[in-house]
Amino acid sequence: MMDGGHETSFAREMTDHNEPAESRPQVTPYGIAVRKRENRAPRPDHAGPPPLRRLRVFASVRDPRKGFLLAGGAAFPCALGRSGIATLKREGDGRTPRAALPLRSVLFRADRIGRPRTLLPTRAIRSRDAWCDDVSDRRYNRLIDRPPGEAEERLTRDDHLYDIVVELGWNDAPVIRGRGSAIFWHLARPGFTPTAGCVAVEGHVFAKVLPRLARRCVIRVG
């Protein structure tokens, strides 16, 4: 798929520094000095594209478990929940919530990849990190400390799905028990097989998109 995320820089012709007579200050009968419109200074060549404040995710018409993530002018394939996108979300239903989800933070496996380039808060995943999906626990839908091997949504996985994880702001302001937990934007499996309710992309997408995200970026699903 063509990547439209890279914007082309266009050279601009330099203007004469000698100010033409027609652009010099003039005085009206009321004594107000005015200046006719002048050419604006060219944009510096090193200036990059503006930060992305909004991403968009929508489902494919052929398979609701797959879709596309739009970032600026680029579209990337993504995997969605096994039950597709839905407004009503419950714990364990496999649905990706239809909502505007703030990007809270970036978690990554420092033993596998380098620290991502991003303006978002970033932290390396620790061996005891887990995400609470127990609706009876007061820490439901929170990052918690658990010894390795205990049952929770562990962030240190044998596969690579959580080598990089963007925490999405679902059911966290406030937390409502049973309304869904651990909704992430993470790495996809080969073939974009369905997730448990998250959005998943290939690794190169993070490399391209994360450095362009504004601090308060939102991903709109649906």
Side-chain angles (χ1 to χ4, degrees), residues 72-146:
F76 304 101
C78 67
L80 300 171
R82 63 179 181 272
S83 302
I85 297 174
T87 302
L88 184 61
K89 169 70 183 171
R90 291 289 182 266
E91 183 66 40
D93 62 7
R95 295 172 177 170
T96 300
R98 185 189 309 275
L101 306 174
L103 276 55
R104 302 295 194 202
S105 66
V106 178
L107 307 173
F108 71 101
R109 288 286 297 272
D111 57 329
R112 293 180 175 179
I113 65 172
R115 181 177 293 273
R117 290 178 52 234
T118 180
L119 295 176
L120 298 173
T122 307
R123 185 174 81 78
I125 293 173
R126 300 164 185 163
S127 61
R128 294 171 60 97
D129 282 348
W131 208 270
C132 183
D133 57 8
D134 183 354
V135 295
S136 64
D137 195 313
R138 59 181 178 80
R139 299 168 299 174
Y140 176 68
N141 198 26
R142 300 293 190 201
L143 180 65
I144 60 175
D145 182 280
R146 276 278 195 266

Side-chain angles (χ1 to χ4, degrees), residues 109 125 153-155 157 160-165 186:
R109 288 286 297 272
I125 293 173
E153 182 66 20
R154 304 218 58 83
L155 299 189
R157 299 173 58 113
H160 294 277
L161 298 190
Y162 287 178
D163 282 6
I164 184 165
V165 175
H186 61 70

